[in-house]
Amino acid sequence: MSNENNSKKRMPVSPARTIFGIFMILVYIGMGTLFLIGFFGWETGPWAWLRWVAGILLIVYGIWRGYRQFSGLDRNIGDYE
């Protein structure tokens, strides 16, 4: 029984991984916001729809990544058993 508990213990997360995760959340949400406000000048032409799609997708993915980061869903990804 004690071996089962030891194998399911969570490894501590390195501070560098946490800082990088938070940085990437800010990058995704920031880029999505820049797309939505038209920062890159894609208001006209055949690619105008792309800024809306890309902006919404980046913001949604940034929120999903933030949820995973702070809830601990992907905390053990890459850890060896």
Side-chain angles (χ1 to χ4, degrees), residues 52-71:
W52 293 102
V53 173
I56 291 169
L57 285 176
L58 284 170
I59 290 174
V60 168
Y61 183 70
I63 292 169
W64 170 246
R65 188 167 171 139
Y67 171 74
R68 283 187 354 213
Q69 174 85 23
F70 295 112
S71 69

Side-chain angles (χ1 to χ4, degrees), residues 10 23 40 54 79:
R10 290 188 173 181
F23 173 74
F40 299 107
D79 292 343

Side-chain angles (χ1 to χ4, degrees), residues 8-66:
K8 293 189 181 204
K9 277 187 182 178
R10 290 188 173 181
M11 300 288 290
V13 178
S14 70
R17 184 173 176 179
T18 302
I19 291 170
F20 179 74
I22 293 170
F23 173 74
M24 288 308 297
I25 292 166
L26 294 174
V27 166
Y28 287 127
I29 292 176
M31 285 298 292
T33 304
L34 289 176
F35 275 126
L36 289 179
I37 65 172
F39 181 78
F40 299 107
W42 292 357
E43 287 85 17
T44 60
W47 295 102
W49 62 273
L50 183 62
R51 76 179 184 102
W52 293 102
V53 173
I56 291 169
L57 285 176
L58 284 170
I59 290 174
V60 168
Y61 183 70
I63 292 169
W64 170 246
R65 188 167 171 139

